[in-house]
Each structure stands twice: as structure tokens, then as C-alpha cells.
Amino acid sequence: MQDNYQQKVLGIVGGGQLGRMVIQSAINYNIDIHILDPDENAPCRHICHDFSHGNLTDYDTVYAFGKDCDVITIEIENVNTEALEQLAKEGKKVFPQPEIIRLIQDKREQKQFYKANNIPTADFILTDTKAAVLSNADFLPAVNKLGKEGYDGRGVQVLKSEEDLEKAFEAPSLLEKLIDFDKEIAVIVSKNEHGELVAFPPVECAFHPTANLVEFLFAPAQIADEIGEKATKVAKDVITKLDMIGILAVEMFVTKSGDILVNEIAPRPHNSGHHTIEANFTSQFEQHLRSVMGMPLGNTELRIPAAMVNLLGEDGFTGESMVEGMDEAMKEKGVYIHLYGKKITKPFRKMGHVTILEENVEALKAKALKIKNSIKIKA
């Protein structure tokens, strides 16, 4: 018997750009989406069926929101997992499962999970205080990561020498060996309740040198086939060992010797999958919807090589956003602009992205650079 997806209400805890793009996919299936977000002007505000304004980490707020939904998912990890657990006990479908969200909320727990489950990752030391970091100076060069509440490049300090130790966190954190990697790649995998498990092709990420955010993304990743197969196997292994339902982004390093090391994971749609809206047969946002709603998973193959450029708020500008250079970009073939509906820009705030499609990879890279230099978000 076919499931009637249209009769189920999907609740998303978080109403930012990821939720907005999930809604854009859900419209095609007539699925009602309810959103909870602390920002009254959240990007999802005016396009969801029901909007609740409230704190994502408050038990009562999350519990009350979930009571009116059949299936509950997230678009940000910083949520109240106790409320989600209670909703799951009462028969609501909560995907990803609350215990997995809790694990991923803490980078220290994440790393210990990898170690316990033979998932390749960089060597690390758990540190509770700044003094503990200082006492491990011989472990440098390393990356000091806050256990909790670090995101989008915040809560991460690169410590290359003893002079950098002053930047160490006075909080539970971890010290992770700095990897001299060849490339940073990501593989997005998804699994539904019926045991279907599929992966998107690996993509290559280039990070902003100071903001610690993805600046460019290229699909497919320029890596050997055996490296791609190894990375896909590792990503599938992670979601299988978590026993997770939903979509999971697995960020990885490719070392100079061709090894794969898992860096971090995100149990939701991810920046490394934005290009899939135009470039793949199924987008990551539709796949997220399909996986949590128990629908058949879609084909993930790449239709055409693609690049994605993040549109970040320009440094030095805070206030009502203005977009420069958009008209010129819109004239280009294979250029798709996505603005996230955020009224206020701040330095390095994610305000949108652009996907570029081009058969020739060298032409693709040139066009991506041109777009990045032409579209500016100012105030």
C-alpha cells in the first residue's frame, strides 16, 4: 500500500536557508511544512504553512511545536534533544534520531565515536581547559575545536606554534592534529526507514582563508576514481554505524598519501550539496524530504559538472542588504542565483549561493571565479 505523504505534516526545527530550500522541494509533493525559528523574519517565515516563533533550545517550545507534526526533522544541530526524545517516545517520527543529534552536537563525542567504530580520522586529545591545551604543546601543529556550539568556522582555532597557544579555548574542547591534506572533499549520504542507502558523488571544497567557510565547491571532485570510491564507502559506513535516518554530510580530508580522514559530519542538508538543485537528478533538499518522510530515495547522479559559490556578506558592511553585480551574472548561461531572504547582512554571513553549470571543467572554474568577483552583498 502506498503511503499518503500529503496527509503528513513535516515539522522543521529551524527556519533558515536550508529549511527554505527543503520547502521549495516539498511544494512539488503538496507536503505541509511547519517551521520553528527564533527569528521572526526567518527565511522560511512567509513560505511555510505554519510558522512558530520560539527558542530552539527550550524544551517546552520544541515539545509544543512537535505535538502538531507527524514527522519532525532539523536544519540546525543546536536544538533541544530532550524534547525531541519525548516526542519520539510518544510516537512521533523524529529523524535524524535525537540521540544522533546529541552525539553530533559535541565534537568531542563525534571524535570518540569515530575512534570506537574504526572510522578513519585525525589523531586527537580531549582537553577540558586552556591549561590542558598548553600542557600538550608537543602535539602542535593542531586545531583546537570547541566541543559544543561551534559552527560556520566559529569555535575553531589553528595552533601552529607555541605563540598561538594564547588562542586556545578555556572550555571543553579537543586538540586535533593539523592535517597536511591534498584536498578537502565531502560526500552526502542518505538513508530511509526502509533501509535504502544512497550517496551523492564526492565534491571538492575550497575554504575562505580567514572566515573558515566554504568559498567554492566543485562537482565532481577532481580525484582518482579509487579515492572517490573509498570516500563514498567511508561516508556510507558512518551513516550505517550511526544507524541514522535522514541525510548526512560527511566532510573529509584526502591526505597526500591518498588516505581518507573524516573531519566532521552534519545530520542535515549541507553547504556542500547546494549545487545539487540544478546539477543532480535529485537535489539534497528533496532527498532530505524523501529520507525522513519514508519516500523512495532519488537518483543522485550528476547531470553536468557544476561549481557553487557562496554569497557571503562583504567584510565591513552591516545593515539592510544590497546585491551588486546580479544583472551581469544573470545574463550568463548556466548561472543560477539563490538568495536566502535575509534582510540584514553582516560580514561573512551566508546570504545566498550561485550554482554554475558548464561541461568544460576549466571553463567552469573560470566562470565561478568571475561570478565570485562580480556579485557583492553590501549594506
Side-chain angles (χ1 to χ4, degrees):
M1 191 177 88
Q2 196 168 14
D3 206 338
N4 193 347
Y5 310 113
Q6 288 82 11
Q7 289 177 0
K8 290 181 179 176
V9 171
L10 175 63
I12 304 178
V13 183
Q17 64 265 22
L18 301 177
R20 180 184 173 99
M21 289 183 270
V22 171
I23 291 171
Q24 288 167 338
S25 288
I27 287 168
N28 292 338
Y29 296 102
N30 295 329
I31 293 171
D32 280 6
I33 304 261
H34 291 195
I35 293 286
L36 172 67
D37 198 87
D39 180 0
E40 282 189 287
N41 297 306
C44 288
R45 172 83 205 226
H46 299 293
I47 62 168
C48 60
H49 291 86
D50 188 84
F51 182 83
S52 299
H53 176 231
N55 185 343
L56 307 186
T57 58
D58 178 69
Y59 179 96
D60 292 336
T61 302
V62 173
Y63 179 74
F65 169 76
K67 290 287 278 182
D68 294 331
C69 306
D70 300 300
V71 182
I72 301 147
T73 190
I74 60 166
E75 63 112 61
I76 186 170
E77 290 93 319
N78 191 22
V79 299
N80 189 294
T81 51
E82 288 77 15
L84 294 177
E85 262 171 346
Q86 184 57 36
L87 288 160
K89 279 179 194 163
E90 293 175 13
K92 303 291 183 185
K93 292 191 174 185
V94 182
F95 301 132
Q97 301 93 311
E99 65 274 14
I100 294 167
I101 302 171
R102 185 183 295 118
L103 169 79
I104 293 172
Q105 281 174 343
D106 191 333
K107 288 188 173 72
R108 292 156 57 99
E109 297 287 331
Q110 250 190 77
K111 291 291 281 190
Q112 290 173 92
F113 173 83
Y114 304 149
K115 194 173 180 181
N117 286 278
N118 297 314
I119 292 162
T121 193
D123 288 340
F124 65 97
I125 297 169
L126 299 182
T127 50
D128 289 313
T129 60
K130 188 171 185 173
V133 177
L134 299 180
S135 71
N136 284 289
D138 58 341
F139 196 70
L140 301 185
V143 183
N144 190 203
K145 295 180 178 179
L146 272 181
K148 293 185 176 179
E149 296 182 7
Y151 69 98
D152 276 357
R154 297 171 201 138
V156 176
Q157 291 287 3
V158 178
L159 311 178
K160 290 188 176 175
S161 64
E162 293 199 21
E163 290 79 63
D164 294 331
L165 286 170
E166 273 311 303
K167 296 189 284 186
F169 295 114
E170 185 61 82
S173 61
L174 63 93
L175 204 55
E176 183 179 285
K177 270 288 183 199
L178 185 64
I179 301 298
D180 183 23
F181 56 83
D182 184 41
K183 289 180 188 289
E184 286 191 69
I185 63 171
V187 175
I188 292 175
V189 283
S190 55
K191 188 155 74 78
N192 64 16
E193 282 183 281
H194 313 302
E196 275 188 281
L197 169 56
V198 296
F200 285 85
V203 299
E204 192 172 329
C205 308
F207 281 78
H208 189 283
T210 56
N212 232 350
L213 296 164
V214 173
E215 195 166 29
F216 290 107
L217 175 145
F218 296 101
Q222 301 295 292
I223 52 177
D225 288 347
E226 60 267 26
I227 300 276
E229 286 162 17
K230 197 191 297 187
T232 300
K233 186 172 180 294
V234 167
K236 286 182 173 180
D237 194 36
V238 176
I239 198 169
T240 300
K241 285 175 174 169
L242 284 169
D243 196 23
M244 181 188 139
I245 307 298
I247 196 163
L248 183 75
V250 184
E251 297 178 90
M252 298 175 250
F253 299 123
V254 181
T255 69
K256 299 276 170 68
S257 58
D259 290 325
I260 297 291
L261 299 176
V262 173
N263 180 24
E264 290 178 7
I265 55 178
R268 51 169 172 77
H270 189 259
N271 203 233
S272 60
H274 287 356
H275 66 292
T276 58
I277 297 171
E278 287 87 17
N280 295 60
F281 285 100
T282 307
S283 79
Q284 68 159 342
F285 302 101
E286 180 171 330
Q287 197 78 307
H288 179 61
L289 189 72
R290 287 173 177 238
S291 61
V292 301
M293 298 294 283
M295 300 160 85
L297 298 182
N299 181 289
T300 57
E301 290 170 40
L302 197 66
R303 301 176 197 242
I304 182 172
M308 189 274 293
V309 179
N310 268 326
L311 297 180
L312 306 177
E314 288 291 303
D315 198 6
F317 293 90
T318 299
E320 199 158 322
S321 66
M322 287 168 34
V323 185
E324 289 182 0
M326 199 160 85
D327 287 359
E328 282 308 304
M330 287 171 72
K331 292 173 187 172
E332 297 267 4
K333 179 185 173 185
V335 170
Y336 301 86
I337 298 169
H338 298 259
L339 298 177
Y340 297 156
K342 297 177 181 178
K343 300 275 189 276
I344 302 298
T345 185
K346 299 171 189 170
F348 306 117
R349 188 183 192 195
K350 287 180 185 169
M351 301 297 289
H353 75 266
V354 182
T355 300
I356 302 116
L357 305 181
E358 178 69 65
E359 291 283 1
N360 180 287
V361 173
E362 288 312 308
L364 179 68
K365 290 186 173 180
K367 197 179 277 191
L369 191 61
K370 181 182 174 186
I371 294 295
K372 183 197 171 294
N373 291 331
S374 62
I375 300 182
K376 304 288 181 190
I377 310 244
K378 299 180 178 177

